[in-house]
Amino acid sequence: MSFSSDIKQEISQLEFTEGKARALLSALFLSRASLNWSNGRTWLSFQTQNASIAKLVFRVLKNEYDVDVQIATIKRMNLKKNNTYRLIVQSKANDILEDLGILRQGGLYNTPPYTIVRSEKNARAFMQGLFLASGSINSPKTTNYHMELNVPSQDLAIMAVKILDRFYIPAKITLRKQQYIVYTKAGDKIADFLRLLGANQSLFLFEDARIQRDFYNQLTRLDNCEVANEMKTQKAAKDQLYWIAVIEQSHQKVSDKIAHVMAARKKNPEASNVELCDEIYLMYGETITKSGMKHRMTKIKELAQTFLEANPDFVLEPTNVALQQEANDIQEDVDLDGELELDLESDFDSSISFTDGISLSQTNGNPDLLGPSFASEREKDEKNSQ
């Protein structure tokens, strides 16, 4: 069963007596019933494809007007093969319509008199009847929320909108295939409409699905915002590093506050402005607000742009903060000022003789300068290789 069918079945199980019964039947008959004349006889006919609605109308007519109601089942041979239930009232048809305010001295009317829907409970029953006759609500699992009432006349559509407005449920009217559609697309207002209909179980299902969807949608929006903010921060940091490089290579003099910001940005190339504020406090003990950081970054941008406008031929030398930092770390690990000590016994072959007093720095890669002993060894190797 569809979500709308579940709602209608739940409404059909409610009790309707006296004024509420009149309002319910008035809405149902205005939407679905027909008055027939044949051979001097008048009878009332009402048909629906929902068995629970047929049972409700049968029960209310028997209880309120004590009439004989005939039920006929029409089986269709189309693809859906839904049964159509027709209820026929042959006696007291005119009396029933007059009591419901549909048949008056001027003839048949498209709307009931205001006395039928004056009270809140009767107005609620009238909207229940309109929904049972021709209402539908999309399943909360679908992508869009939509509730509509399909009514046969414009006057009845306007009346339905006014009643909904009494319960703070705004609705609109549109024309579709010669039928007037009263609809709303707001999820919270559809929930209020379900509460108005008294379909509590369907309301819980609708609200549960709506809360879950809103929760996941909110998470998705937050993730998208975080990604967008991160990309924006990285782009801003890249531009700021470019301005800093221009200022440094142009050898411009800046204040200590600007210099602190430049140093903090170079040390933290991917940090946001708020994180830079914390970094400056750790590096220099200076407290700076987010607006203050933004003001200093604007100053750095103005200095760089002013220099570039005055020097259009200026070419920025490529720099890489990460590689420069790595080179500095390597330079700190290697002591270039210390003396290079060699352990001749462990680092060189003992067969090489250094008796001729020639140091390694004097050979310049020429093995012949190492003495006759090394030359004789080389000749032996060449003969062996041949």
Side-chain angles (χ1 to χ4, degrees):
M1 296 177 64
S2 64
F3 184 65
S4 298
S5 299
D6 294 338
I7 299 173
K8 293 178 180 180
Q9 184 174 5
E10 187 174 358
I11 297 174
S12 300
Q13 296 174 357
L14 302 176
E15 292 294 331
F16 295 91
T17 57
E18 299 179 354
K20 293 193 298 182
R22 293 178 62 201
L24 175 75
L25 289 177
S26 177
L28 287 169
F29 288 171
L30 284 170
S31 300
R32 290 286 183 180
S34 61
L35 185 61
N36 305 277
W37 291 272
S38 177
N39 298 326
R41 294 186 302 109
T42 303
W43 73 89
L44 186 64
S45 175
F46 175 84
Q47 65 180 24
T48 179
Q49 293 182 357
N50 193 310
S52 59
I53 297 177
K55 293 178 181 179
L56 173 64
V57 175
F58 179 85
R59 184 177 72 245
V60 173
L61 285 174
K62 291 288 289 184
N63 294 338
E64 296 298 323
Y65 298 102
D66 190 22
V67 293
D68 293 331
V69 182
Q70 299 177 1
I71 300 179
T73 303
I74 303 174
K75 294 185 178 181
R76 294 189 176 183
M77 303 305 295
N78 57 4
L79 294 178
K80 293 183 178 180
K81 296 182 180 180
N82 293 332
N83 294 334
T84 299
Y85 304 94
R86 176 175 295 176
L87 284 73
I88 300 175
V89 179
Q90 294 185 350
S91 61
K92 299 183 180 180
N94 292 339
D95 295 339
I96 293 174
L97 293 180
E98 289 177 359
D99 185 63
L100 297 178
I102 299 176
L103 179 61
R104 285 173 261 179
Q105 293 182 356
L108 293 174
Y109 284 78
N110 295 327
T111 58
Y114 182 71
T115 54
I116 296 292
V117 295
R118 177 182 299 170
S119 65
E120 180 178 330
K121 62 179 182 179
N122 291 349
R124 185 190 302 269
F126 186 82
M127 295 309 302
Q128 289 172 329
L130 284 182
F131 185 80
L132 288 175
S134 58
S136 65
I137 296 179
N138 281 7
S139 172
K141 297 181 181 179
T142 57
T143 56
N144 297 320
Y145 302 117
H146 184 81
M147 182 280 295
E148 69 176 36
L149 302 172
N150 191 335
V151 296
S153 65
Q154 184 178 7
D155 294 336
L156 186 58
I158 294 174
M159 184 176 185
V161 171
K162 291 181 178 179
I163 294 176
L164 289 175
D165 189 63
R166 288 170 56 182
F167 295 94
Y168 305 100
I169 303 175
K172 297 181 180 180
I173 301 175
T174 187
L175 183 63
R176 183 199 303 159
K177 296 180 180 180
Q178 305 302 320
Q179 293 287 321
Y180 292 91
I181 309 299
V182 179
Y183 70 95
T184 182
K185 294 179 178 292
D188 55 339
K189 298 306 178 182
I190 295 177
D192 293 340
F193 182 72
L194 289 173
R195 192 176 295 107
L196 172 66
L197 297 180
N200 296 327
Q201 187 64 31
S202 299
L203 172 63
F204 292 149
L205 295 176
F206 182 84
E207 286 287 59
D208 181 65
R210 189 167 71 95
I211 290 172
Q212 290 185 14
R213 174 182 295 173
D214 292 345
F215 176 74
Y216 289 123
N217 289 343
Q218 184 69 15
L219 286 181
T220 303
R221 284 192 291 267
L222 290 176
D223 290 340
N224 293 338
C225 290
E226 290 180 0
V227 172
N229 290 336
E230 185 66 23
M231 295 178 63
K232 183 178 179 181
T233 299
Q234 292 180 3
K235 183 180 182 301
K238 182 179 179 181
D239 295 339
Q240 293 165 4
L241 289 173
Y242 172 76
W243 301 331
I244 292 172
V246 171
I247 293 175
E248 291 180 344
Q249 294 187 18
S250 61
H251 304 289
Q252 299 186 55
K253 292 183 179 180
V254 296
S255 63
D256 293 340
K257 294 182 179 181
I258 300 297
H260 292 171
V261 174
M262 293 170 59
R265 169 54 75 194
K266 291 169 62 179
K267 184 179 179 182
N268 303 272
E270 297 182 356
S272 63
N273 287 347
V274 176
E275 294 172 343
L276 286 181
C277 295
D278 299 335
E279 185 64 24
I280 288 178
Y281 180 79
L282 295 176
M283 294 173 61
Y284 305 103
E286 179 184 358
T287 302
I288 179 174
T289 62
K290 182 180 178 180
S291 60
M293 177 61 67
K294 182 179 180 180
H295 175 73
R296 296 187 190 184
M297 286 298 181
T298 303
K299 183 64 176 178
I300 291 174
K301 179 181 179 180
E302 291 176 354
L303 292 174
Q305 290 182 345
T306 302
F307 176 80
L308 291 175
E309 292 175 358
N311 300 272
D313 298 333
F314 175 78
V315 178
L316 183 65
E317 297 179 1
T319 58
N320 192 315
V321 178
L323 293 178
Q324 184 65 31
Q325 183 65 30
E326 183 178 356
N328 294 337
D329 296 340
I330 295 175
Q331 186 175 4
E332 292 177 358
D333 295 338
V334 179
D335 186 8
L336 299 179
D337 296 334
E339 297 181 356
L340 182 62
E341 299 180 357
L342 297 176
D343 188 354
L344 298 180
E345 295 182 358
S346 59
D347 296 339
F348 296 93
D349 192 349
S350 59
S351 62
I352 300 176
S353 175
F354 296 92
T355 56
D356 293 338
I358 299 176
S359 64
L360 291 174
S361 61
Q362 295 172 340
T363 62
N364 294 328
N366 190 349
D368 294 337
L369 297 178
L370 294 177
S373 60
F374 185 83
S376 60
E377 291 293 336
R378 189 186 65 177
E379 292 175 357
K380 291 179 181 180
D381 293 339
E382 290 178 355
K383 291 179 180 180
N384 293 333
S385 61
Q386 294 176 355

